[in-house]
Amino acid sequence: MQTDTKVIEEQAEREIYEGLSDFLNVFSKGIKTSLIYPPDNPIPREFKKSCWNKLHQHIQEFGLIEFEVHASSFMLNGETIHESRTREGNLPHVLHRDGIRRLMFKETITQIEWEQFFDDILTVMRAGEDYEDLVNLFWQRDFGSIDYDVVEDFSLAEIEDGFSAPEQQEVEYSEIILSESQVETKNALDALLDGSEKELAGLSEDDDFLGIFRNIQEFGPSEKAYLEDLMAADGELIIEFESIELLLDILLSEDELGNFDESLLTLDNMFDKMLDSEQFPLLVYLIQGMKKCYAELQKKSGPRADKFKDSLARVGDRIRISRITNLLNSSEWQDFDGIRLYLEELEWKSMPSLIWMLGELNNFPARKMVIEALINKGRDRIEIIGNAIHDSRWYVVRNAVLILGEIGDNKGLSYMRKALEHFDERVRWEAVVAVEKLASKSDLKILIPYLKDESERIRHKVIEMFSQNRYDPAFEAIQEIVKSSQFNGMGFEEQKNLLKALAFTGGDNALPVLKKIVKKRSFFSARASQKKKEAAVLAISLIETEDAWKLIEEAANKKKGPLANLAQLILDKKGRVAADRNTEGD
Amino acid sequence: MTQPEAINSGVQLSDAEKREIANLQALGRDLATQLYVCLKTASFYDPRNDNFKKQISKFLDLLHVATDHESHLSITDVDGYLFLNDQRLKIKLDGYLAAKYLQSQFENLGVAGMEFSVKTELEELEKAFSQVVRSDLKVRNAENLNDYFRGLEIKNIKFIPSLTIDDCRDDDDDESERTSAKKTFFQALSVVQQVMGGFAQQKKRNTNFFKAKRAIHGIIDEIIKNESYMLELTVLRNYDQYTYKHSVNVSVFAVALGIRLGLSKARLAELGFAALFHDFGKTRIPIDLLNKPESFNALDWSKMHEHPIYGAKALAQAFPMDSHTARAMLVAFEHHKNIDGTGYPYINRARPMNLFSRIVSMCDYFDAVTSGRVYSKKPMPLDQVIMQMIKQAKVKFDPYLLKVLINIIGIYPVGSLLLLDTGELALVVANNMNDIFRPDVRILADTRGKKEQTPVVQLTEYDRENEKYVRNVVHLVDPEKYGIDISEYILES
Ligand SMILES: [Fe+2]
Ligand SMILES: [Fe+2]
């Protein structure tokens, strides 16, 4: 009988251990997974919830959870219930490192508390070990149902030694009492609070102000309101901004050069620390403040402005830009808006660094962000971005082309000739797209050679652009292609587009060639030839001159066939028939 | 940018939920305040008194509003926090006295709190309140008091037992709270010493920064638990490193003030941190100058005047940039400025003095003059200190904040020596929140001379039969004048 109970007890204990171990594994996995995603991603949220379910279920079944925290494991009664050997996302390690040695979740724990706990651990892991302290975060949370023990490295005795022993003096207390009892005067404070203001020479006229203290233990409504307002106003400050302002104010006021240098050093130091901890909004504020400060210093004589200028230039130097680059490459999610604002604050001198950065970044959202920054920054300095056209890395060139296109300044066009000659198709493609944005009609000339580009999409794009712009200088070149033998070898789509472009750029001048196509007899590949003819008829219809319509009518009057039908359809559609048919077909 | 106070909880409450919590909070504060008023009135008036009856019925009204939601309503003290059922009340300035009074009453009664049923009647309340303050039960605890109430046929009001089952809890509890206060205080002292003593050897990990924050958290928790034990520790003057001791003192005063104002925990932590490092700039001032026994000459002063600016800079270099460091920089820079814009350092800056700087500059002045360092080489008699501060309240200090500070330190600050009308000489050991003119004192001597036993008595002790206070203050006595070292009595149990 006794052994039976023992077996049952052991079994129950086993269940607790296993349940706990199960929960901790889910927890640890949840943390590791969450680290990969941005904080607002739904996946971490899901994990937080599933961990909560496990925890809640376990607590409901077995009561509170309590275990010891070791360097790489959690233990309960000498038994390991969770172990982590990896360096990344090692849960026991993170708790242990900050001195936590025991952890307890009480029965009263709520989901809110659990999620806060979970978030704090994530915060610390994300921040790396330099910037957050778990115990401090937990304290701010004020958990009611999560308890923990923290080790201390402090000895009371050490401090007690600093106190000297009280001086043992022979004091005649009875004499003190006697002599003090003779003193008749009311003490000064009583006099003040009584309102007998004689004691306060020079202040007595100001009744309002003394009134505050007369009723010392009561706070009237206006007094409370004053204090509330004071606190509310303070709550609205962004205190980090205030401290930045302060440092700049100090720097501006520094009379002694040595002190000025020291302030500048402090500023640099603060800058680097904020960069280390990725506080981009603060950095942006700091840079803006530094610019104003520089403007002030320029009004003064002496070496201060020059020294400051160097500091300001360092904001966007290669060293700091590489740090941001490394940061962006280290993880997929970042404060892109903050970093973009930072980059936009930089002086134009740093733009080459940014272009360099563009070449180093290895993920798309980051590149996109830098491009956006450069688009915003580059408006006034087209030439700096233009110079990147000579970069040896094709992707840098492509991005420069893209940025010039996005800026949309016609000056950017002068860099496109070079870009269009680039060996890499992707660069040429981007250049064609950019030309479309930058070029006026007359500038389209530079694209003519690319009617023959080896890349189909480039050819297509160029043809398309010439069509849309009815760019007649391209007519000769297009006609040459259509007449050439290679035209027959092209796919139908391209043929169609070329014929269309021919019509748009040539007008009546295109008619002889198109007519020839329509009339040409072919014995081979009848179907392909038929389609080509149809395309030619369509192209003719785009010319919309009397000569052109004549040709269409001719084709419509020919013996019945698909070509005649098409011609008739075009005639019907093009206002040569009743208006109500206009909406039909197509 | 998020505001310093906004801690990302990841869980959002709906507006309706927030409103309900806010209402419940306000109601809870009103109830606690009214309970305090009732208990207080009961201790002064006869149960037949009209005012007493009026207050009781007001309490009952509030109780009825509150019990709309629940069948029972309890007000309990858990580790220095007041709870209404299971919701913690966030006490603000005007509710502070009431809260602290209730906590001390509960403690005197040996209970954690009181519970009222929805069925509570006026008569019961009258009986309960007037009996509670009078009952002369030998051993006061919830069990005995509930028995006593049953005898009086009070059915709907109950006492909630304290978590400590210990019967002779008083002394032991006091003792452990004192030890805990001392430990916390000394730990902060040790941290300041490490940080200010050797901030050049900052390790890679921001250990010092974290340690300092933890020390402040300890101070905050401790002051919430028992303010007077912490204030008592500020009076110890015989520490060999004045600046460090002074830093912790100022931090303790500032946090106590912040708590009265009702600052959130996050902001209290920033305040305490900023106060702790307000003199960070003194790390650059040669120790010989700091400890110079003679008065300062002009050159000495100009050196001293550099410490606010140097402090702001040094803090920016020593710590990571966050709201704590930013606060500390501002306070370090501004703590010798006056609210009218005068004071030092004199630089061109169009910013009003920050709230935290206003608080710290007052606490700094108070601690500096009472310890007799820097400003004058002898401590200023305590009755002069507060008067001096009030005098300067238009120019130097924010008068409203000063009023709050005076309510914390009392008219007779801890460490004051008082002559009583009983012919006794007494040392102030704790301010009485409810009557700052009548602190708790330790009787050191009477006309026959020094006492062997030095009992602590409350000057609020009232002689009902003769309708007068048992002891009254005649005036302050300057211990310096007679060479009395009060530190031997501090923290004596
Ligand atoms: Fe100072
Ligand atoms: Fe100070």
Coordinates of all heavy atoms in Angstrom, one line a residue, chain B residues 242-243 246-247 250 278-279 282 307 335-336 360 364-365 368 374-375, ligand 2:
Chain B
Y242 N 32.2 63.3 3.2 CA 31.0 64.1 3.2 C 30.2 64.1 1.9 O 29.0 63.9 1.9 CB 31.4 65.6 3.6 CG 30.3 66.5 3.3 CD1 29.2 66.6 4.1 CD2 30.3 67.3 2.1 CE1 28.1 67.5 3.8 CE2 29.2 68.2 1.9 CZ 28.1 68.2 2.7 OH 27.1 69.1 2.4
T243 N 30.9 64.3 0.8 CA 30.1 64.5 -0.5 C 29.2 63.3 -0.8 O 28.1 63.4 -1.3 CB 31.1 64.7 -1.6 OG1 31.9 65.8 -1.3 CG2 30.4 65.1 -2.9
H246 N 26.3 63.2 1.7 CA 25.4 64.3 1.3 C 24.6 63.9 0.0 O 23.4 64.2 -0.1 CB 26.3 65.5 1.0 CG 25.6 66.6 0.2 ND1 24.6 67.4 0.8 CD2 25.8 67.1 -1.0 CE1 24.2 68.3 -0.1 NE2 24.9 68.1 -1.2
S247 N 25.2 63.2 -0.9 CA 24.5 62.8 -2.2 C 23.4 61.9 -1.8 O 22.3 62.1 -2.4 CB 25.5 62.1 -3.1 OG 26.6 63.0 -3.4
V250 N 20.5 63.8 -0.1 CA 19.7 64.7 -1.0 C 18.8 63.8 -1.8 O 17.6 64.1 -2.0 CB 20.7 65.5 -1.9 CG1 19.9 66.2 -3.0 CG2 21.5 66.5 -1.1
H278 N 23.9 64.8 -8.2 CA 23.9 66.3 -8.5 C 25.2 66.9 -8.3 O 25.5 67.9 -8.9 CB 22.8 67.0 -7.6 CG 23.2 67.1 -6.1 ND1 23.2 66.1 -5.2 CD2 23.8 68.2 -5.5 CE1 23.6 66.5 -4.1 NE2 24.0 67.8 -4.2
D279 N 26.0 66.4 -7.4 CA 27.4 66.9 -7.2 C 28.5 66.1 -7.9 O 29.6 66.1 -7.5 CB 27.7 67.0 -5.7 CG 27.2 68.3 -5.0 OD1 27.1 69.3 -5.8 OD2 26.9 68.3 -3.8
K282 N 31.8 67.5 -8.5 CA 32.8 67.6 -7.4 C 34.0 66.6 -7.5 O 35.0 66.7 -6.8 CB 32.2 67.6 -6.0 CG 31.4 68.8 -5.8 CD 31.0 68.9 -4.3 CE 30.2 70.2 -4.0 NZ 29.6 70.2 -2.8
H307 N 31.6 73.3 -10.6 CA 31.2 71.9 -10.5 C 29.8 71.6 -11.2 O 29.6 70.5 -11.6 CB 31.2 71.3 -9.0 CG 30.1 71.7 -8.1 ND1 30.0 72.8 -7.4 CD2 28.9 71.0 -7.9 CE1 28.8 72.8 -6.7 NE2 28.2 71.7 -7.0
H335 N 21.4 72.8 -10.1 CA 21.1 72.8 -8.7 C 21.6 73.9 -7.9 O 21.3 74.1 -6.7 CB 21.5 71.4 -8.1 CG 23.0 71.3 -7.8 ND1 23.9 70.9 -8.8 CD2 23.7 71.4 -6.7 CE1 25.1 70.9 -8.3 NE2 25.0 71.1 -7.0
H336 N 22.5 74.8 -8.5 CA 22.8 76.0 -7.8 C 22.2 77.2 -8.4 O 22.6 78.4 -8.1 CB 24.3 76.2 -7.6 CG 25.0 75.2 -6.7 ND1 24.8 75.3 -5.3 CD2 25.7 74.0 -6.9 CE1 25.4 74.2 -4.8 NE2 26.0 73.5 -5.7
V360 N 15.7 69.3 -6.2 CA 17.1 69.0 -5.7 C 17.8 70.2 -5.1 O 18.4 70.1 -4.1 CB 17.9 68.3 -6.8 CG1 19.4 68.1 -6.3 CG2 17.3 67.0 -7.2
D364 N 19.3 70.0 -1.5 CA 20.7 70.2 -1.4 C 21.0 71.3 -0.4 O 21.9 71.1 0.5 CB 21.2 70.6 -2.8 CG 22.7 70.9 -2.8 OD1 23.5 70.1 -2.2 OD2 23.1 72.0 -3.3
Y365 N 20.3 72.4 -0.5 CA 20.5 73.5 0.5 C 20.3 73.0 1.9 O 21.1 73.2 2.8 CB 19.6 74.7 0.1 CG 19.8 75.8 1.0 CD1 20.7 76.8 0.8 CD2 19.0 76.0 2.1 CE1 20.8 77.9 1.6 CE2 19.1 77.1 3.0 CZ 20.0 78.1 2.7 OH 20.1 79.1 3.5
A368 N 22.9 70.7 3.1 CA 24.3 71.3 3.2 C 24.3 72.2 4.5 O 25.3 72.2 5.2 CB 24.6 72.1 2.0
V374 N 30.3 73.6 3.4 CA 30.3 74.3 2.2 C 29.7 75.7 2.4 O 30.5 76.7 2.2 CB 29.5 73.6 1.1 CG1 29.5 74.4 -0.2 CG2 30.0 72.2 0.9
Y375 N 28.5 75.9 2.7 CA 27.9 77.2 2.8 C 28.5 78.0 4.0 O 28.8 79.1 3.9 CB 26.4 77.1 2.9 CG 25.7 76.6 1.6 CD1 25.6 75.2 1.4 CD2 25.4 77.5 0.6 CE1 25.0 74.8 0.3 CE2 24.8 77.0 -0.5 CZ 24.7 75.7 -0.7 OH 24.1 75.2 -1.9
Ligands
FE2 FE 25.2 69.4 -3.1

